[in-house]
DNA sequence: CGAAAAGGTGACTAGGTGGTCACATTTTGG
DNA sequence: CCAAAATGTGACCACCTAGTCACCTTTTCG
């Protein structure tokens, strides 16, 4: 989630307390509403600074938003990184990945909502950022899947693009529903559906 | 998608031409922007009627919106119905279903966008309508899946809720991407992933 | 000390929104 | 034919938005 212009230097010169108050208010607002509907006015009111001050720290609303989204993904990376470090086959890595995402959502619900809502943004001003994020994700997964297919872990007859498509869809839906208390049990069952497929297998797995 | 208050009688007393102009303008607006961001002012300007007139025909913005969404789903039903009439096993019905959805999106791109955007609505005023729609969908699918499992077409070891979850996620993503020119070929491949699962099968299918 | 630079401010602008209402026009029907 | 009912209208209301800028305060530093 590469930021655009990121905050100006003045923002980092701020006392910690003030900086944190701004971040807190912004995170709360952007967790509740998508970019287009979130209100900068409400943010400055919530953290008690003047409207004009905000424009000393950030170029505009988009700049503040992308900074907050960046913060959220920084936090999230600390969690999901563990899944890749542990290693194992593609299925155990994916399970670990979603388990870590789940922990992140539980430990940092506001950051989780911010990160998640980001992908639904329709605003013109965000489309290039979204495209960047999507490309980097699909590239990472393609690499990962390619290895698993070469190793014979994943059915070579499948279309890699279609596999990515399915995983992307299910992953997004999973993460979307973390707020609403989806259990780790259920996560396992969803991944089973993907692993095994719908039709009954004659072999034992 | 049961409407709320539906249009007032005055709307149906209107000359066809005027009524169609209103529908056309509303569909165009709601196809482009989600409910919250769509502008009633722009709609009345586009179809050349007075703001006040709109409130003679509809209770409010939500009422007009739900009417348009209803129209879209009426059209869509005419397409997807064919999938169920044809019969066949669960896999062929689902393939037919998405093929029909695809045709609908191609024939009525604006209606398709309206129907699709509906599910992303975050507005408080629409949540009860959304819940209604979701419940009726999941009920229909549950029935369908239950039969397929009883007949042994679908692996009985899978969790039905997890299967629904996966199908719902993938279905939504498929339909979302119809605008961007997804081919029938690709659709088949995505359904293959669901049918067969990721891990290689020892038996031939 | 004092001047210049940096930081803070909130009233203000311009532009939107959904919804209303007193009034004008048209249609209906006794 | 005329009154009453139905319909059409757009200026207007209250409320919101992102962003600006002239002015004030604080900090820096020669």
């Amino acid at each position: 989630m590469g930021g655009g212009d990121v905050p100006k230097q003045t923002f980092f010169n701020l006392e910690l307390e003030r900086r944190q108050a701004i971040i807190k208010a912004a995170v709360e607002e952007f967790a509740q509403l998508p970019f287009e509907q979130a209100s900068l006015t409400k943010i400055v009111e919530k953290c008690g600074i003047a409207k004009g001050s905000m424009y000393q720290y950030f170029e505009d609303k988009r700049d503040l938003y992308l900074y907050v989204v960046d913060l959220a993904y920084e936090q999230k990376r600390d969690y999901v990184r563990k899944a890749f470090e542990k290693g194992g086959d593609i299925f155990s890595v994916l399970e670990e990945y979603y388990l870590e995402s789940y922990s992140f959502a539980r430990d940092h619900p506001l950051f989780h909502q911010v990160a998640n809502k980001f992908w639904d943004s329709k605003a013109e001003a965000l489309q290039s950022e979204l495209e960047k994020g999507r490309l980097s994700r699909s590239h990472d997964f393609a690499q990962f899947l390619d290895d698993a297919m070469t190793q014979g872990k994943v059915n070579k007859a499948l279309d890699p693009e279609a596999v990515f498509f399915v995983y992307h869809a299910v992953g997004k839906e999973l993460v979307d529903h973390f707020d609403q208390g989806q259990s780790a049990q259920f996560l396992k069952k969803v991944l089973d559906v993907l692993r095994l497929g719908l039709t009954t297998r004659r072999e034992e797995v």
Side-chain angles (χ1 to χ4, degrees), chain A:
Chain A
M1 318 308 87
D5 294 318
V6 297
K8 303 180 183 176
Q9 185 54 45
T10 46
F11 181 68
F12 295 108
N13 295 344
L14 247 37
E15 296 158 61
L16 205 83
E17 221 177 313
R18 195 176 169 90
R19 207 159 64 223
Q20 282 179 339
I22 292 171
I23 291 173
K24 182 166 178 283
V27 167
E28 280 170 16
E29 180 73 10
F30 290 126
Q32 213 159 58
L33 294 165
F35 174 75
E36 302 84 5
Q37 285 170 259
S39 161
L40 203 68
T41 307
K42 277 182 192 147
I43 293 173
V44 300
E45 277 167 2
K46 205 181 289 186
C47 65
I49 70 167
K51 191 84 156 284
S53 296
M54 196 59 109
Y55 285 85
Q56 300 252 353
Y57 312 140
F58 298 91
E59 279 300 326
D60 52 18
K61 183 183 169 183
R62 173 182 170 278
D63 197 25
L64 168 61
Y65 179 67
L66 289 178
Y67 174 64
V68 169
V69 171
D70 246 4
L71 282 184
Y73 269 104
E74 249 173 54
Q75 296 281 323
K76 180 158 181 172
R77 259 193 297 276
D78 283 347
Y79 281 75
V80 299
R81 204 187 35 221
K82 299 175 207 160
F84 295 99
E85 284 167 357
K86 265 197 181 175
D89 70 3
I90 189 170
F91 300 110
S92 53
V93 170
L94 282 171
E95 181 172 340
E96 203 59 35
Y97 178 90
Y98 286 114
L99 282 173
E100 288 297 340
S101 294
Y102 186 47
S103 302
F104 169 71
R106 221 176 0 145
D107 298 349
H108 307 281
L110 294 182
F111 274 139
H112 165 248
Q113 283 170 263
V114 169
N116 230 22
K117 278 199 169 58
F118 174 62
W119 301 100
D120 296 328
S121 306
K122 306 281 188 262
E124 198 57 49
L126 295 175
Q127 289 310 311
S128 79
E129 288 296 320
L130 282 165
E131 194 52 27
K132 235 190 281 177
R134 271 193 284 262
L135 277 177
S136 109
R137 287 194 157 203
S138 83
H139 181 269
D140 289 352
F141 187 87
Q143 192 64 41
F144 192 45
L145 181 66
D146 200 55
D147 293 348
M149 278 179 151
T150 308
Q151 288 166 37
K153 296 280 183 187
V154 168
N155 188 346
K156 290 171 186 163
L158 298 173
D159 179 330
E161 273 197 68
V163 174
F164 174 66
F165 187 89
V166 168
Y167 250 100
H168 174 83
V170 173
K172 189 173 182 333
E173 192 78 358
L174 274 171
V175 174
D176 265 357
H177 285 67
F178 281 162
D179 319 88
Q180 294 148 51
Q182 213 59 269
S183 71
Q185 281 292 336
F186 187 72
L187 172 62
K188 254 180 137 58
K189 286 171 181 168
V190 167
L191 292 177
D192 275 349
V193 173
L194 293 185
R195 214 157 41 84
L196 300 173
L198 292 195
T199 50
T200 313
R201 283 168 182 257
R202 279 205 284 279
E203 83 250 24
E204 276 317 299
V205 194

